[in-house]
Amino acid sequence: MNRRLLGNILLSTVLILTISGAVMYFIPFKKTVASLHTVFAILFCAGILLHLLNNKIPLGNYVSGRRQTRWRKYQSPLIFGMTLLLVLGLMLDLPGLNAIYDWGNSLRNRQLGKSETSFDYEVIELEQKQGDHQIKVELQQGAAFQYPMFALWLEDSLGNYLETLYISRVISTSTYDFGIKLGRRWKPAVVRRPEGLPYWAHQRGIQASDGLYIPLDGAPDLDAVSGATPVGNFVIHTRTTLQSGKKYRILLELNQSYDWNEYFTKTSFPDDPIYSGSGRVGQPSLVYTAEIGQQACGEKRHFLLKLTGYGHPSGKTGELFTALEKITTAKNIADRIILTVEREKTER
């Protein structure tokens, strides 16, 4: 094929592809532009194929580096290798490589009045936990999220505690990294915090040696289900045993310190030795609940954990308070909490 003719064809298609590509990058989707870009991309590919056939000998020399110095012979493999790495990086969404696309996508969305939000999740696998049902809990952090501690547990339909499915290690051990300040430095130490997760603690119903329901001096029932407190969005994978034909409840209690509001201030309970004394308090712990019906014990089901109440502000009792008018910003610690229950697949 005439090289001049082929060159002009390729030049015109590249020009159209460049203009249509720029329009597609800066302006929201239009079918006419996308169609134009697609048709000329096909023509460009056909032209490139003819170009390769028409110039296979000189192109082969370029690739092989014939008659080139020693180091210039590695030019083609180096370029091909860098191209491959870039393609893999973009496909694997490595940090920074998709920044150009993300910026253009954000620009187009703003023109349409749309917004996109992406979330990264910390995945917590409790491999030692046994049971015939997989339990997955996904928590998406809200605007007020500040590393709350939490407990996840199972109850029967009457509200009787059955077992803990996950618990923040600081609660299961009562040991905090910033437990005591010696001079200018903080040291790990045991800190008793009955106000931390009081509803879970009283439902569990095991008193420690000092009379509090928060664990102390080891808790064998919690060893396999305790872990670090997540610092953002998280997904917990754990297990439990559910009997077919029975109803259950899964609850999550969370709490974070010093999130005061107009109803729960530093002076709200001046006669309470925990709230106005040793406690690291604020708004009380929040309890979320999902009711698991009989049908959930045999198939994969999804549930939304709903806010049902809050615990005692200083952990004095195991009462669940359901009037939520005085709870304000704490409601925004979690944006949503989704529970998935699925029976374990057995090998045949």
Side-chain angles (χ1 to χ4, degrees), residues 4 6 21 43 84 90 101 106-107 138 167 201 220 231 245 249 251 265 275 289 293 296-297 304-305 336 345:
R4 182 182 178 187
L6 182 59
L43 292 176
L84 178 61
L90 290 168
Y101 168 80
S106 176
L107 176 65
E138 172 202 322
I167 180 74
V231 297
R249 302 198 306 168
L251 300 91
T265 68
Y275 193 93
T289 307
C297 298
L304 183 67
L305 272 78
R336 72 179 186 196
K345 296 179 181 179

Side-chain angles (χ1 to χ4, degrees), residues 32-50:
T32 52
V33 178
S35 179
L36 184 70
H37 190 81
T38 302
V39 170
F40 275 85
I42 295 173
L43 292 176
F44 180 75
C45 291
I48 286 295
L49 180 60
L50 291 174

Side-chain angles (χ1 to χ4, degrees), residues 278-292:
S278 61
R280 301 177 181 181
V281 294
Q283 295 175 69
S285 65
L286 301 185
V287 178
Y288 294 80
T289 307
E291 304 283 345
I292 303 177

Side-chain angles (χ1 to χ4, degrees), residues 144-174:
F145 186 95
Q146 291 292 332
Y147 320 128
M149 52 190 174
F150 68 95
L152 178 72
W153 73 98
L154 177 71
E155 294 182 353
D156 63 21
S157 59
L158 299 178
N160 297 308
Y161 171 91
L162 296 178
E163 66 170 338
T164 297
L165 303 176
Y166 190 82
I167 180 74
S168 294
R169 187 176 291 115
V170 292
I171 288 292
S172 66
T173 62
S174 286

